[in-house]
Amino acid sequence: MSDHLKNHIARFVKIPEQDYPEILKYFTVTELAKKQNVLSEGRICKCNYFVIKGCLRLFFITEKGVEQTVQFALENWWLADYTSFSTQQPSDFYIQAVEKSEVAALDFSSQEKLLERFPLMEKYFRLIHQRAHAAAQFRAKFLHSLSREQYYHHFNNLYPEFVQRIPQYLLASFLGFTPEYLSEIRSKRIS
Amino acid sequence: MSDHLKNHIARFVKIPEQDYPEILKYFTVTELAKKQNVLSEGRICKCNYFVIKGCLRLFFITEKGVEQTVQFALENWWLADYTSFSTQQPSDFYIQAVEKSEVAALDFSSQEKLLERFPLMEKYFRLIHQRAHAAAQFRAKFLHSLSREQYYHHFNNLYPEFVQRIPQYLLASFLGFTPEYLSEIRSKRIS
C-alpha cells in the first residue's frame, strides 16, 4: 500500500512498524482522472483525502457562476471541507483533481475508528491541522501586507514547482488575479 | 481553577472527572491589562493561550508602521502564533489583550508533557485546530465571494456581540476597511 502515507505519518509520530499494515487498512487508495470531482456542493464531504500523487483543489462557485479556488493540496497534503467532514452535513464546496491523481481516502467513520484504535494518530492529525492553522495565519498576513504582484513572487519563491505545475487560470483565480494580469507579471519577470 | 477551560475541554472529549485537577495544573492563569502584549515580533511564542475572559488579538506591523490584526480570540478560543509556538522560533507577530482579560496559558514544554500524560488532550487539540482550519476555509470563501459591505454584515450577523465589543478601529482594520468606511456602513444600517 501507500509508502507515501506511511512515510508522512512517520515524519510526525513514532508508530511501531508492525502497526502500519493495520493503520493503512482504514484508507482506500483511489485513482482520480483529471477534473474528476470527489465532492460537490450540496453533498456531504465523506472523506478526508491524502494526496499520494497529483493535486486536488477546494473551490466554490460564485454567484456569477465562476469557480473560485480557495485551497490546493499537492503530494503529502490533506484536503477536505472540514466543516462538512466534521459535521457530516452538506458542503458549500467542490473538491476536484487538478491533474490525474492518486489519493488515500479516509471516510469519516473509518477516521473515527482509526483514531480510537490508534490514539497516536490523534497526534498526527493534531499536527496536520495545527500546521494548516499556522499557514492560514501567515496567509492572512501576506494578504494584508503584500501587493498582488509581491504576493505572486512570494508564492513563486515558496512553491516554484507548484507554480510551474498548476494551470495558470487556476493559479490566477486562487491569487485573486485575472489570467491577463498574471501573464503580465510573469512576462515582466522573464524579460 | 478555571471552570471555563474544564467545561470547554468537556465539550470535546470525555475525560474522567478525577483527571481534571491534574490536567489544569499544566496551565497558568494570568490576568492581562488592556493593551498588554504577551508576544512581540522577534520573540518566541512561548505559550498557547485559552481566553477565559476578555479578548486577545494577533497582529503584525506593516512596512508603513500600521498594526494589522489577523485574528481575534474571545472567551473559549485559543490563540498563539502556531508557527513560532510549534517551532519555538522567533515570531513575526504580536499578541495583545484588546480589553482587560484573563487567560489560561500553556507553555510549549507543559503542552508537550500534558499531551504525553493525557493522550485524550491530543484529540481535544486536534478538534480545536480542525475547527480553526475549517474556519479559515470559510473565511477564504467569504473574502472571495462577498463585497466588503456584505462581509461586514455577514460578520455582524454571525458575531453580533463581538462586533459591539471590539473597538471600531480594530474591527475596521481586521475587515480591511478604513474606520470611516465602517462608520458609513453602520450608519446606513441604523438609518
Side-chain angles (χ1 to χ4, degrees):
Chain A
M1 229 219 72
S2 171
D3 271 352
H4 284 83
L5 178 55
K6 184 187 155 189
N7 294 340
H8 195 254
I9 294 170
R11 272 167 52 189
F12 291 88
V13 286
K14 282 193 185 116
I15 292 201
E17 188 62 31
Q18 67 268 25
D19 285 346
Y20 276 108
E22 205 185 327
I23 286 174
L24 296 175
K25 277 186 199 156
Y26 290 86
F27 295 83
T28 309
V29 173
T30 312
E31 298 251 349
L32 303 175
K34 183 175 175 173
K35 297 215 172 182
Q36 185 178 335
N37 284 350
V38 290
L39 172 67
S40 298
E41 188 184 342
R43 310 297 291 267
I44 291 167
C45 183
K46 288 187 181 156
C47 293
N48 195 1
Y49 296 96
F50 175 80
V51 182
I52 297 170
K53 203 169 163 227
C55 179
L56 302 184
R57 68 182 179 116
L58 179 81
F59 70 94
F60 67 97
I61 296 185
T62 67
E63 278 185 9
K64 291 179 183 163
V66 177
E67 294 181 0
Q68 175 64 56
T69 301
V70 299
Q71 212 170 353
F72 286 102
L74 283 175
E75 283 88 4
N76 288 339
W77 280 87
W78 284 89
L79 191 63
D81 164 0
Y82 288 104
T83 302
S84 173
F85 181 71
S86 62
T87 59
Q88 290 290 289
Q89 293 295 312
S91 175
D92 286 357
F93 293 96
Y94 296 77
I95 294 178
Q96 187 179 76
V98 173
E99 50 192 60
K100 186 169 175 294
S101 300
E102 189 182 349
V103 296
L106 183 60
D107 72 53
F108 183 73
S109 80
S110 297
Q111 179 168 309
E112 294 288 293
K113 284 175 205 153
L114 169 67
L115 293 172
E116 200 165 319
R117 173 86 180 75
F118 296 97
L120 259 178
M121 290 297 287
E122 287 283 6
K123 185 187 187 78
Y124 171 68
F125 282 109
R126 192 259 300 172
L127 291 166
I128 294 299
H129 287 296
Q130 184 176 293
R131 193 174 64 157
H133 191 174
Q137 291 177 326
F138 265 93
R139 203 174 312 124
K141 178 172 187 283
F142 294 133
L143 282 174
H144 280 296
S145 60
L146 301 180
S147 72
R148 297 197 297 169
E149 190 167 341
Q150 287 171 324
Y151 190 50
Y152 167 75
H153 291 311
H154 169 77
F155 210 79
N156 200 16
N157 290 337
L158 271 183
Y159 312 108
E161 196 211 343
F162 172 72
V163 168
Q164 291 309 314
R165 253 171 81 175
I166 296 297
Q168 293 307 296
Y169 74 97
L170 286 183
L171 182 63
S173 137
F174 175 66
L175 295 172
F177 298 167
T178 61
E180 294 73 24
Y181 184 71
L182 181 59
S183 15
E184 206 178 297
I185 296 175
R186 289 170 70 99
S187 59
K188 242 200 267 180
R189 186 152 239 202
I190 294 162
S191 64
Chain B
M1 231 217 70
S2 171
D3 271 352
H4 284 84
L5 177 55
K6 183 187 157 189
N7 293 340
H8 194 254
I9 295 169
R11 273 167 52 190
F12 292 88
V13 285
K14 281 194 185 115
I15 291 202
E17 187 61 31
Q18 67 269 24
D19 286 345
Y20 276 107
E22 205 184 326
I23 287 175
L24 297 176
K25 277 184 199 158
Y26 289 86
F27 294 83
T28 308
V29 173
T30 312
E31 298 250 347
L32 303 176
K34 183 175 174 172
K35 297 214 171 182
Q36 185 178 335
N37 284 350
V38 290
L39 172 66
S40 298
E41 189 183 342
R43 311 296 292 266
I44 291 167
C45 184
K46 290 187 179 155
C47 295
N48 195 359
Y49 296 96
F50 175 81
V51 181
I52 297 169
K53 202 167 164 230
C55 179
L56 302 185
R57 68 182 180 114
L58 179 80
F59 70 95
F60 67 96
I61 297 186
T62 67
E63 277 186 9
K64 291 178 184 166
V66 178
E67 294 181 0
Q68 176 63 55
T69 301
V70 298
Q71 212 171 355
F72 286 102
L74 283 173
E75 284 87 4
N76 289 337
W77 280 86
W78 283 88
L79 191 63
D81 165 359
Y82 289 105
T83 303
S84 173
F85 181 70
S86 62
T87 59
Q88 290 291 289
Q89 293 296 312
S91 176
D92 287 356
F93 293 97
Y94 295 76
I95 294 178
Q96 187 180 75
V98 173
E99 50 192 59
K100 186 171 176 291
S101 299
E102 189 181 349
V103 296
L106 182 61
D107 72 54
F108 183 73
S109 79
S110 297
Q111 179 168 309
E112 294 287 293
K113 286 175 204 153
L114 169 67
L115 293 172
E116 200 166 319
R117 173 87 180 75
F118 296 98
L120 260 178
M121 291 297 287
E122 287 283 7
K123 185 187 187 76
Y124 171 69
F125 282 110
R126 192 259 300 173
L127 290 167
I128 295 299
H129 287 296
Q130 183 177 295
R131 194 175 61 157
H133 190 173
Q137 292 177 325
F138 265 93
R139 203 175 312 123
K141 179 173 188 285
F142 295 134
L143 282 173
H144 280 296
S145 60
L146 301 180
S147 71
R148 296 198 297 170
E149 189 167 343
Q150 286 171 326
Y151 190 51
Y152 167 76
H153 291 311
H154 169 79
F155 210 79
N156 199 17
N157 290 337
L158 271 184
Y159 312 107
E161 197 211 341
F162 172 71
V163 169
Q164 291 310 312
R165 254 170 81 176
I166 296 298
Q168 293 307 294
Y169 74 98
L170 286 183
L171 182 63
S173 137
F174 175 65
L175 296 172
F177 298 168
T178 61
E180 293 72 25
Y181 185 71
L182 181 59
S183 16
E184 205 178 297
I185 297 175
R186 290 169 68 100
S187 60
K188 245 202 262 180
R189 185 152 240 202
I190 294 162
S191 62

